[in-house]
Coordinates of all heavy atoms in Angstrom, one line a residue:
M1 N 11.4 6.4 -4.6 CA 10.8 5.0 -4.5 C 10.0 4.9 -3.2 O 10.4 5.3 -2.2 CB 11.9 4.0 -4.6 CG 11.3 2.6 -4.7 SD 12.5 1.3 -5.2 CE 13.4 1.0 -3.8
A2 N 8.9 4.2 -3.3 CA 8.0 4.0 -2.1 C 7.5 2.6 -2.1 O 7.5 1.9 -3.2 CB 6.9 5.0 -2.1
Q3 N 7.1 2.1 -1.0 CA 6.6 0.7 -0.9 C 5.3 0.8 0.0 O 5.2 1.5 1.0 CB 7.6 -0.1 -0.2 CG 7.2 -1.6 -0.1 CD 8.4 -2.5 0.5 OE1 9.5 -2.1 0.5 NE2 8.0 -3.6 0.9
A4 N 4.3 0.0 -0.4 CA 3.1 -0.1 0.3 C 2.7 -1.6 0.6 O 3.1 -2.4 -0.2 CB 2.0 0.6 -0.5
S5 N 2.0 -1.8 1.6 CA 1.6 -3.2 1.9 C 0.2 -3.5 1.6 O -0.2 -4.7 1.7 CB 1.9 -3.5 3.4 OG 1.2 -2.7 4.2
D6 N -0.6 -2.5 1.2 CA -2.0 -2.8 0.8 C -2.4 -1.6 -0.1 O -1.7 -0.7 -0.3 CB -2.9 -2.9 2.0 CG -3.1 -1.6 2.8 OD1 -3.1 -0.5 2.3 OD2 -3.2 -1.7 4.1
G7 N -3.6 -1.9 -0.7 CA -4.1 -0.9 -1.7 C -4.3 0.5 -1.2 O -4.1 1.5 -1.9
R8 N -4.8 0.6 0.0 CA -5.0 1.9 0.6 C -3.7 2.7 0.7 O -3.7 3.9 0.4 CB -5.7 1.8 1.9 CG -7.1 1.4 1.8 CD -7.9 1.3 3.2 NE -9.2 0.9 3.0 CZ -9.6 -0.4 2.9 NH1 -8.7 -1.4 3.0 NH2 -10.8 -0.7 2.8
Q9 N -2.7 2.1 1.1 CA -1.4 2.7 1.1 C -0.9 3.1 -0.3 O -0.3 4.2 -0.4 CB -0.3 1.9 1.8 CG -0.5 1.7 3.3 CD 0.6 0.8 3.9 OE1 1.3 0.1 3.2 NE2 0.6 0.8 5.2
V10 N -1.2 2.3 -1.3 CA -0.8 2.6 -2.6 C -1.5 3.9 -3.1 O -0.9 4.9 -3.6 CB -1.2 1.5 -3.6 CG1 -1.1 1.9 -5.1 CG2 -0.4 0.3 -3.4
I11 N -2.8 4.0 -2.8 CA -3.6 5.2 -3.1 C -3.0 6.4 -2.4 O -2.8 7.5 -3.0 CB -5.1 5.0 -2.8 CG1 -5.7 3.9 -3.6 CG2 -5.9 6.3 -3.1 CD1 -5.6 3.9 -5.1
D12 N -2.7 6.3 -1.1 CA -2.1 7.4 -0.4 C -0.8 7.9 -1.0 O -0.6 9.1 -1.1 CB -1.9 7.0 1.1 CG -3.2 6.9 1.9 OD1 -4.3 7.3 1.4 OD2 -3.2 6.2 3.0
I13 N 0.0 6.9 -1.3 CA 1.3 7.3 -1.9 C 1.2 8.0 -3.2 O 1.8 9.0 -3.5 CB 2.2 6.1 -2.0 CG1 2.7 5.6 -0.6 CG2 3.5 6.3 -2.9 CD1 3.3 4.2 -0.6
L14 N 0.3 7.5 -4.0 CA 0.1 8.1 -5.4 C -0.6 9.5 -5.3 O -0.5 10.2 -6.3 CB -0.7 7.1 -6.3 CG 0.0 5.9 -6.7 CD1 -0.8 5.0 -7.6 CD2 1.4 6.2 -7.3
Q15 N -1.2 9.8 -4.2 CA -1.8 11.1 -4.0 C -0.6 12.1 -3.7 O -0.7 13.3 -4.0 CB -2.8 11.2 -2.9 CG -4.1 10.5 -3.4 CD -5.1 10.4 -2.2 OE1 -4.8 10.6 -1.1 NE2 -6.4 10.1 -2.6
Q16 N 0.5 11.6 -3.1 CA 1.6 12.5 -2.8 C 2.6 12.6 -3.9 O 3.2 13.7 -4.1 CB 2.3 11.9 -1.6 CG 1.5 11.8 -0.3 CD 2.1 11.0 0.8 OE1 3.3 10.8 0.8 NE2 1.3 10.6 1.7
C17 N 2.7 11.6 -4.7 CA 3.7 11.6 -5.8 C 3.1 10.8 -7.0 O 2.2 10.0 -6.7 CB 5.0 11.1 -5.4 SG 5.1 9.4 -5.0
E18 N 3.5 11.1 -8.2 CA 3.0 10.3 -9.3 C 4.2 9.7 -10.0 O 4.8 10.2 -11.0 CB 2.2 11.3 -10.3 CG 1.4 10.5 -11.3 CD 0.5 11.4 -12.1 OE1 -0.3 12.0 -11.5 OE2 0.7 11.4 -13.3
P19 N 4.5 8.4 -9.6 CA 5.7 7.8 -10.2 C 5.3 7.4 -11.7 O 4.2 7.3 -12.0 CB 5.9 6.5 -9.4 CG 4.5 6.3 -8.7 CD 3.9 7.6 -8.6
D20 N 6.4 7.1 -12.4 CA 6.2 6.7 -13.8 C 5.6 5.3 -13.9 O 4.8 5.0 -14.7 CB 7.5 6.7 -14.6 CG 8.0 8.1 -14.8 OD1 7.2 9.1 -14.9 OD2 9.3 8.3 -14.8
V21 N 6.0 4.4 -13.0 CA 5.6 3.0 -13.0 C 5.3 2.5 -11.6 O 6.0 2.9 -10.6 CB 6.8 2.1 -13.5 CG1 6.4 0.6 -13.5 CG2 7.1 2.5 -15.0
L22 N 4.2 1.7 -11.5 CA 3.8 1.1 -10.2 C 3.8 -0.4 -10.4 O 3.2 -0.9 -11.4 CB 2.4 1.6 -9.8 CG 1.7 0.8 -8.7 CD1 2.4 1.0 -7.4 CD2 0.3 1.3 -8.6
L23 N 4.5 -1.1 -9.6 CA 4.5 -2.6 -9.6 C 3.5 -3.0 -8.5 O 3.6 -2.7 -7.4 CB 5.9 -3.1 -9.3 CG 6.1 -4.6 -9.4 CD1 5.8 -5.1 -10.8 CD2 7.5 -5.0 -9.0
L24 N 2.4 -3.6 -9.0 CA 1.2 -3.9 -8.1 C 0.9 -5.3 -8.0 O 0.7 -6.0 -9.0 CB 0.0 -3.1 -8.6 CG -1.3 -3.2 -7.9 CD1 -1.2 -2.5 -6.5 CD2 -2.4 -2.7 -8.7
D25 N 0.8 -5.9 -6.8 CA 0.4 -7.2 -6.6 C -1.1 -7.3 -6.5 O -1.7 -6.4 -5.9 CB 1.0 -7.8 -5.3 CG 1.0 -9.3 -5.2 OD1 0.1 -9.9 -5.8 OD2 1.8 -9.8 -4.4
L26 N -1.7 -8.3 -7.2 CA -3.2 -8.4 -7.1 C -3.7 -8.9 -5.8 O -4.8 -8.5 -5.3 CB -3.7 -9.4 -8.2 CG -3.6 -8.9 -9.6 CD1 -4.2 -9.9 -10.6 CD2 -4.3 -7.6 -9.8
N27 N -2.9 -9.7 -5.1 CA -3.3 -10.3 -3.8 C -2.7 -9.5 -2.7 O -1.5 -9.8 -2.3 CB -2.8 -11.8 -3.8 CG -3.3 -12.5 -2.6 OD1 -4.2 -12.0 -1.9 ND2 -2.8 -13.6 -2.3
M28 N -3.4 -8.5 -2.2 CA -3.0 -7.7 -1.0 C -4.1 -7.7 0.0 O -5.2 -7.9 -0.3 CB -2.7 -6.3 -1.5 CG -1.6 -6.1 -2.5 SD -1.3 -4.3 -2.8 CE -2.9 -3.9 -3.7
P29 N -3.7 -7.5 1.3 CA -4.7 -7.4 2.3 C -5.5 -6.2 2.2 O -5.0 -5.2 1.6 CB -3.9 -7.4 3.6 CG -2.5 -7.0 3.2 CD -2.3 -7.4 1.8
G30 N -6.7 -6.1 2.7 CA -7.5 -4.9 2.7 C -8.0 -4.7 1.2 O -8.6 -5.5 0.6
L31 N -7.6 -3.6 0.7 CA -8.0 -3.2 -0.7 C -7.0 -4.0 -1.6 O -5.8 -3.7 -1.7 CB -7.8 -1.7 -0.9 CG -8.3 -1.0 -2.1 CD1 -9.9 -1.1 -2.1 CD2 -7.9 0.4 -2.2
D32 N -7.6 -4.9 -2.4 CA -6.8 -5.8 -3.2 C -6.4 -5.0 -4.5 O -6.7 -3.9 -4.7 CB -7.5 -7.1 -3.5 CG -8.7 -6.9 -4.5 OD1 -8.9 -5.9 -5.0 OD2 -9.4 -7.9 -4.6
G33 N -5.6 -5.7 -5.3 CA -5.1 -5.1 -6.5 C -6.1 -4.6 -7.5 O -6.0 -3.5 -8.1
L34 N -7.1 -5.4 -7.8 CA -8.2 -5.0 -8.7 C -8.9 -3.8 -8.2 O -9.2 -2.9 -9.0 CB -9.1 -6.2 -9.0 CG -8.5 -7.3 -9.8 CD1 -9.5 -8.5 -10.0 CD2 -8.0 -6.9 -11.2
A35 N -9.3 -3.8 -6.9 CA -10.0 -2.6 -6.4 C -9.1 -1.4 -6.4 O -9.5 -0.3 -6.7 CB -10.4 -2.9 -4.9
T36 N -7.8 -1.6 -6.2 CA -6.8 -0.5 -6.3 C -6.8 0.1 -7.7 O -6.8 1.3 -8.0 CB -5.4 -0.9 -5.9 OG1 -5.5 -1.4 -4.5 CG2 -4.4 0.2 -6.0
L37 N -6.7 -0.8 -8.7 CA -6.8 -0.4 -10.1 C -8.0 0.3 -10.5 O -8.0 1.3 -11.2 CB -6.7 -1.7 -11.0 CG -5.3 -2.3 -11.1 CD1 -5.4 -3.7 -11.8 CD2 -4.3 -1.4 -11.9
Q38 N -9.2 -0.1 -9.9 CA -10.4 0.6 -10.2 C -10.3 2.1 -9.7 O -10.8 3.0 -10.3 CB -11.6 -0.1 -9.5 CG -12.0 -1.4 -10.2 CD -13.0 -2.2 -9.4 OE1 -13.1 -2.0 -8.2 NE2 -13.8 -3.0 -10.1
R39 N -9.8 2.2 -8.5 CA -9.6 3.6 -7.9 C -8.7 4.4 -8.7 O -8.9 5.6 -8.9 CB -9.2 3.5 -6.5 CG -10.3 3.0 -5.6 CD -10.0 3.2 -4.1 NE -11.1 2.6 -3.3 CZ -11.2 2.7 -2.0 NH1 -10.3 3.3 -1.4 NH2 -12.2 2.2 -1.4
L40 N -7.6 3.8 -9.2 CA -6.6 4.6 -10.0 C -7.2 5.0 -11.3 O -7.0 6.1 -11.8 CB -5.4 3.7 -10.2 CG -4.5 3.4 -9.0 CD1 -3.4 2.5 -9.4 CD2 -4.0 4.6 -8.4
Q41 N -8.0 4.1 -11.9 CA -8.7 4.4 -13.2 C -9.7 5.6 -12.9 O -9.8 6.5 -13.7 CB -9.4 3.2 -13.7 CG -10.0 3.5 -15.1 CD -10.7 2.2 -15.6 OE1 -11.5 1.6 -15.0 NE2 -10.3 1.8 -16.9
A42 N -10.5 5.5 -11.9 CA -11.4 6.6 -11.6 C -10.8 7.9 -11.3 O -11.3 9.0 -11.7 CB -12.3 6.2 -10.4
A43 N -9.6 7.9 -10.7 CA -8.8 9.1 -10.4 C -8.1 9.6 -11.6 O -7.4 10.7 -11.6 CB -7.9 8.9 -9.3
K44 N -8.1 8.8 -12.7 CA -7.4 9.2 -14.0 C -5.9 9.4 -13.7 O -5.2 10.2 -14.3 CB -8.0 10.4 -14.6 CG -9.4 10.2 -15.0 CD -9.9 11.4 -15.8 CE -11.4 11.3 -16.1 NZ -12.0 10.4 -16.8
N45 N -5.4 8.5 -12.8 CA -3.9 8.5 -12.5 C -3.1 8.1 -13.8 O -3.5 7.1 -14.4 CB -3.7 7.6 -11.3 CG -2.3 7.7 -10.9 OD1 -1.3 7.2 -11.5 ND2 -2.1 8.3 -9.7
K46 N -2.1 8.8 -14.1 CA -1.3 8.5 -15.3 C -0.1 7.5 -15.0 O 0.6 7.2 -16.0 CB -0.8 9.8 -15.8 CG -1.9 10.8 -16.3 CD -1.3 11.9 -17.1 CE -2.3 13.0 -17.4 NZ -3.6 12.6 -17.9
T47 N 0.0 7.1 -13.8 CA 1.1 6.1 -13.6 C 0.8 4.8 -14.3 O -0.3 4.3 -14.3 CB 1.2 5.8 -12.0 OG1 1.5 7.1 -11.4 CG2 2.2 4.8 -11.7
R48 N 1.8 4.3 -15.0 CA 1.7 3.0 -15.7 C 1.8 1.9 -14.6 O 2.7 1.9 -13.8 CB 2.8 2.8 -16.7 CG 2.6 3.9 -17.8 CD 3.6 3.7 -18.9 NE 3.2 2.5 -19.6 CZ 3.1 2.4 -21.0 NH1 3.3 3.5 -21.7 NH2 2.8 1.3 -21.5
V49 N 0.9 0.9 -14.7 CA 0.9 -0.2 -13.8 C 1.3 -1.5 -14.4 O 0.7 -1.9 -15.4 CB -0.6 -0.3 -13.2 CG1 -0.6 -1.4 -12.1 CG2 -1.0 1.0 -12.5
I50 N 2.2 -2.2 -13.7 CA 2.6 -3.5 -14.1 C 2.1 -4.4 -12.9 O 2.5 -4.2 -11.8 CB 4.1 -3.7 -14.2 CG1 4.7 -2.7 -15.2 CG2 4.5 -5.1 -14.5 CD1 4.2 -2.9 -16.6
V51 N 1.3 -5.4 -13.2 CA 0.8 -6.3 -12.2 C 1.7 -7.4 -12.0 O 2.2 -8.0 -13.0 CB -0.6 -6.8 -12.6 CG1 -1.0 -8.0 -11.7 CG2 -1.6 -5.7 -12.5
L52 N 2.1 -7.7 -10.8 CA 2.9 -8.9 -10.4 C 2.0 -9.8 -9.6 O 1.4 -9.4 -8.6 CB 4.1 -8.4 -9.6 CG 5.0 -9.4 -9.0 CD1 5.8 -10.1 -10.1 CD2 6.0 -8.8 -8.0
T53 N 1.9 -11.1 -10.0 CA 1.0 -11.9 -9.3 C 1.4 -13.4 -9.4 O 2.1 -13.8 -10.3 CB -0.5 -11.8 -9.9 OG1 -1.4 -12.6 -9.1 CG2 -0.5 -12.2 -11.3
A54 N 1.0 -14.1 -8.4 CA 1.2 -15.6 -8.4 C 0.0 -16.3 -8.9 O 0.0 -17.5 -9.1 CB 1.6 -16.1 -6.9
S55 N -1.1 -15.6 -9.1 CA -2.4 -16.1 -9.5 C -2.3 -16.6 -11.0 O -1.6 -16.0 -11.8 CB -3.5 -15.1 -9.4 OG -4.7 -15.5 -10.0
D56 N -3.1 -17.6 -11.3 CA -3.2 -18.0 -12.7 C -4.6 -17.8 -13.2 O -5.0 -18.4 -14.2 CB -2.7 -19.4 -12.9 CG -3.5 -20.5 -12.2 OD1 -4.4 -20.1 -11.4 OD2 -3.2 -21.7 -12.3
N57 N -5.3 -17.0 -12.5 CA -6.7 -16.7 -12.8 C -6.8 -15.8 -14.0 O -6.6 -14.6 -13.9 CB -7.4 -16.1 -11.6 CG -8.9 -15.9 -11.8 OD1 -9.4 -15.7 -13.0 ND2 -9.7 -15.9 -10.8
K58 N -7.1 -16.3 -15.2 CA -7.2 -15.5 -16.4 C -8.3 -14.4 -16.3 O -8.1 -13.4 -16.9 CB -7.4 -16.4 -17.6 CG -6.2 -17.3 -17.9 CD -6.4 -18.2 -19.1 CE -5.2 -19.0 -19.5 NZ -4.5 -19.7 -18.5
N59 N -9.3 -14.6 -15.6 CA -10.4 -13.6 -15.4 C -9.8 -12.4 -14.7 O -10.1 -11.2 -15.1 CB -11.6 -14.1 -14.7 CG -12.3 -15.2 -15.5 OD1 -12.4 -15.1 -16.7 ND2 -12.9 -16.1 -14.8
E60 N -8.9 -12.6 -13.8 CA -8.3 -11.5 -13.1 C -7.4 -10.7 -14.1 O -7.3 -9.5 -14.0 CB -7.4 -12.0 -11.9 CG -8.3 -12.4 -10.7 CD -7.4 -12.8 -9.5 OE1 -6.2 -13.0 -9.7 OE2 -7.9 -12.9 -8.4
F61 N -6.7 -11.5 -14.9 CA -5.8 -10.8 -15.9 C -6.6 -9.9 -16.9 O -6.2 -8.8 -17.1 CB -5.0 -11.8 -16.7 CG -4.2 -12.8 -15.9 CD1 -3.7 -13.9 -16.5 CD2 -3.8 -12.5 -14.6 CE1 -2.9 -14.8 -15.8 CE2 -3.0 -13.4 -13.9 CZ -2.6 -14.6 -14.5
V62 N -7.7 -10.5 -17.3 CA -8.6 -9.7 -18.3 C -9.1 -8.5 -17.6 O -9.1 -7.4 -18.1 CB -9.7 -10.6 -18.8 CG1 -10.8 -9.8 -19.5 CG2 -9.2 -11.7 -19.7
Q63 N -9.6 -8.6 -16.3 CA -10.1 -7.5 -15.6 C -9.0 -6.4 -15.4 O -9.2 -5.2 -15.5 CB -10.7 -7.9 -14.2 CG -11.4 -6.9 -13.5 CD -12.6 -6.3 -14.2 OE1 -13.2 -7.0 -15.0 NE2 -12.9 -5.1 -13.9
A64 N -7.8 -6.9 -15.0 CA -6.7 -6.0 -14.8 C -6.4 -5.2 -16.1 O -6.1 -4.0 -16.0 CB -5.5 -6.7 -14.3
M65 N -6.4 -5.9 -17.2 CA -6.1 -5.2 -18.5 C -7.2 -4.2 -18.8 O -6.9 -3.1 -19.3 CB -5.9 -6.2 -19.6 CG -4.7 -7.1 -19.4 SD -3.1 -6.3 -19.3 CE -2.9 -5.7 -20.9
K66 N -8.4 -4.5 -18.5 CA -9.5 -3.6 -18.8 C -9.4 -2.4 -17.9 O -9.9 -1.3 -18.2 CB -10.9 -4.3 -18.5 CG -11.3 -5.3 -19.6 CD -12.6 -5.9 -19.3 CE -13.0 -6.9 -20.4 NZ -14.3 -7.5 -20.1
L67 N -8.8 -2.5 -16.7 CA -8.6 -1.4 -15.8 C -7.4 -0.6 -16.1 O -7.0 0.2 -15.3 CB -8.7 -1.9 -14.3 CG -10.0 -2.5 -13.9 CD1 -9.9 -3.2 -12.6 CD2 -11.0 -1.3 -13.8
G68 N -6.7 -0.9 -17.2 CA -5.6 0.0 -17.6 C -4.2 -0.6 -17.3 O -3.2 0.2 -17.4
T69 N -4.1 -1.8 -16.9 CA -2.7 -2.3 -16.6 C -1.9 -2.4 -17.9 O -2.4 -2.8 -18.9 CB -2.9 -3.8 -16.0 OG1 -3.6 -3.7 -14.8 CG2 -1.5 -4.4 -15.8
S70 N -0.7 -2.0 -17.8 CA 0.2 -2.0 -18.9 C 0.8 -3.4 -19.2 O 1.2 -3.7 -20.3 CB 1.4 -1.0 -18.7 OG 0.9 0.3 -18.6
G71 N 0.9 -4.2 -18.2 CA 1.4 -5.6 -18.3 C 1.2 -6.4 -17.1 O 0.9 -5.9 -16.0
I72 N 1.4 -7.7 -17.2 CA 1.2 -8.7 -16.1 C 2.5 -9.6 -16.1 O 2.8 -10.1 -17.2 CB 0.0 -9.5 -16.3 CG1 -1.3 -8.6 -16.3 CG2 -0.1 -10.6 -15.2 CD1 -2.6 -9.3 -16.6
V73 N 3.1 -9.7 -14.9 CA 4.2 -10.6 -14.8 C 3.8 -11.7 -13.7 O 3.4 -11.3 -12.6 CB 5.4 -9.9 -14.3 CG1 6.6 -10.8 -14.0 CG2 5.9 -8.8 -15.3
L74 N 3.9 -12.9 -14.1 CA 3.6 -14.0 -13.2 C 4.8 -14.3 -12.3 O 5.9 -14.5 -12.9 CB 3.2 -15.3 -13.9 CG 1.9 -15.2 -14.8 CD1 1.7 -16.5 -15.5 CD2 0.7 -14.8 -14.0
K75 N 4.7 -14.3 -11.0 CA 5.8 -14.5 -10.1 C 6.5 -15.8 -10.5 O 7.8 -15.8 -10.5 CB 5.4 -14.5 -8.7 CG 4.9 -13.2 -8.2 CD 4.5 -13.3 -6.7 CE 4.0 -11.9 -6.2 NZ 3.5 -12.0 -4.8
A76 N 5.8 -16.9 -10.6 CA 6.5 -18.2 -10.9 C 7.3 -18.1 -12.2 O 8.4 -18.6 -12.3 CB 5.5 -19.3 -11.0
D77 N 6.7 -17.5 -13.2 CA 7.4 -17.4 -14.5 C 8.6 -16.5 -14.5 O 9.6 -16.8 -15.2 CB 6.4 -16.9 -15.6 CG 5.4 -17.9 -16.1 OD1 5.5 -19.1 -15.7 OD2 4.5 -17.5 -16.8
S78 N 8.5 -15.4 -13.7 CA 9.7 -14.5 -13.7 C 10.9 -15.2 -13.1 O 12.0 -15.0 -13.6 CB 9.3 -13.3 -12.9 OG 9.1 -13.6 -11.5
Y79 N 10.8 -16.1 -12.1 CA 11.9 -16.8 -11.6 C 12.5 -17.8 -12.6 O 13.7 -17.9 -12.7 CB 11.5 -17.5 -10.3 CG 11.1 -16.5 -9.2 CD1 9.9 -16.7 -8.6 CD2 12.0 -15.5 -8.8 CE1 9.5 -15.8 -7.6 CE2 11.6 -14.6 -7.8 CZ 10.4 -14.8 -7.2 OH 10.0 -13.9 -6.2
G80 N 11.6 -18.5 -13.3 CA 12.0 -19.4 -14.3 C 12.7 -18.7 -15.4 O 13.7 -19.2 -16.0
A81 N 12.2 -17.6 -15.8 CA 12.8 -16.8 -17.0 C 14.2 -16.4 -16.6 O 15.1 -16.5 -17.4 CB 11.9 -15.7 -17.3
V82 N 14.4 -15.9 -15.4 CA 15.7 -15.5 -15.0 C 16.7 -16.7 -15.0 O 17.8 -16.6 -15.5 CB 15.7 -14.9 -13.5 CG1 17.1 -14.7 -13.0 CG2 15.0 -13.6 -13.6
D83 N 16.2 -17.8 -14.5 CA 17.0 -19.0 -14.4 C 17.4 -19.5 -15.8 O 18.6 -19.9 -16.0 CB 16.3 -20.1 -13.7 CG 17.2 -21.3 -13.4 OD1 18.4 -21.1 -13.1 OD2 16.7 -22.5 -13.5
Q84 N 16.5 -19.4 -16.8 CA 16.8 -19.8 -18.1 C 17.7 -18.9 -18.9 O 18.6 -19.3 -19.6 CB 15.5 -20.0 -18.9 CG 14.7 -21.2 -18.5 CD 13.4 -21.3 -19.1 OE1 13.1 -20.5 -20.0 NE2 12.6 -22.2 -18.8
E85 N 17.5 -17.6 -18.7 CA 18.3 -16.6 -19.4 C 19.7 -16.3 -18.8 O 20.6 -16.1 -19.5 CB 17.5 -15.3 -19.5 CG 16.3 -15.4 -20.4 CD 15.5 -14.1 -20.4 OE1 16.1 -13.1 -20.2 OE2 14.3 -14.2 -20.7
H86 N 19.7 -16.4 -17.5 CA 21.0 -16.0 -16.8 C 21.2 -17.1 -15.7 O 21.1 -16.7 -14.5 CB 20.9 -14.6 -16.2 CG 20.6 -13.6 -17.3 ND1 21.5 -13.2 -18.2 CD2 19.5 -12.9 -17.5 CE1 21.0 -12.3 -19.0 NE2 19.7 -12.1 -18.6
P87 N 21.5 -18.3 -16.0 CA 21.6 -19.3 -15.0 C 22.6 -19.0 -13.9 O 22.3 -19.4 -12.7 CB 22.0 -20.6 -15.8 CG 22.4 -20.1 -17.1 CD 21.8 -18.8 -17.3
Q88 N 23.6 -18.4 -14.1 CA 24.6 -18.0 -13.1 C 24.0 -17.0 -12.1 O 24.2 -17.2 -10.9 CB 25.9 -17.5 -13.7 CG 26.6 -18.5 -14.5 CD 26.9 -19.8 -13.8 OE1 27.2 -19.8 -12.6 NE2 26.9 -20.9 -14.5
S89 N 23.3 -16.0 -12.6 CA 22.8 -15.0 -11.7 C 21.7 -15.5 -10.8 O 21.5 -15.1 -9.7 CB 22.3 -13.8 -12.5 OG 21.3 -14.1 -13.3
A90 N 20.9 -16.5 -11.3 CA 19.8 -17.0 -10.6 C 20.3 -17.9 -9.4 O 19.6 -18.1 -8.4 CB 18.9 -17.9 -11.5
R91 N 21.5 -18.4 -9.6 CA 22.0 -19.3 -8.5 C 22.9 -18.6 -7.6 O 23.4 -19.1 -6.6 CB 22.8 -20.4 -9.2 CG 21.8 -21.4 -9.9 CD 22.6 -22.6 -10.5 NE 21.6 -23.3 -11.4 CZ 21.8 -23.5 -12.6 NH1 22.9 -23.1 -13.2 NH2 20.9 -24.1 -13.3
G92 N 23.2 -17.3 -7.8 CA 24.0 -16.5 -6.9 C 25.3 -16.5 -7.3 O 26.3 -16.2 -7.2

């Protein structure tokens, strides 16, 4: 498992190893998520990408899907879903 704080670090890590899944935020400093996806697509990287975002910009979602994203998880929705499905675990 590895962690990166911007898109350039993501690219560097993926050149060293090819994980099965990448959890990618669209809003990152430097090279953002969409630009990172473009580079991954150009490199024909086989890692499946799940986008995690607080954005509600549908154009970004469409662009991310066109760039090969396997799925999109909205940060706000993910917390609500946990709370509804497992109320005890969400509260600690």
Side-chain angles (χ1 to χ4, degrees):
M1 182 164 82
Q3 183 174 343
S5 60
D6 65 38
R8 287 183 183 84
Q9 288 180 349
V10 170
I11 300 299
D12 290 344
I13 290 169
L14 291 180
Q15 288 176 347
Q16 297 170 18
C17 63
E18 193 171 301
D20 294 327
V21 177
L22 167 66
L23 186 60
L24 181 70
D25 197 333
L26 288 182
N27 186 15
M28 296 184 294
L31 191 66
D32 70 11
L34 290 176
T36 302
L37 285 168
Q38 288 173 334
R39 290 192 183 186
L40 294 176
Q41 186 181 51
K44 300 188 190 292
N45 187 286
K46 296 192 188 314
T47 299
R48 295 183 72 129
V49 180
I50 304 295
V51 166
L52 177 67
T53 184
S55 172
D56 61 357
N57 184 333
K58 290 179 177 46
N59 291 329
E60 285 182 348
F61 302 163
V62 169
Q63 187 64 26
M65 295 304 287
K66 286 180 180 179
L67 292 169
T69 298
S70 297
I72 298 171
V73 176
L74 300 177
K75 290 180 184 180
D77 285 353
S78 64
Y79 297 123
V82 169
D83 190 39
Q84 290 173 2
E85 293 178 25
H86 305 286
Q88 297 302 326
S89 65
R91 293 185 187 120

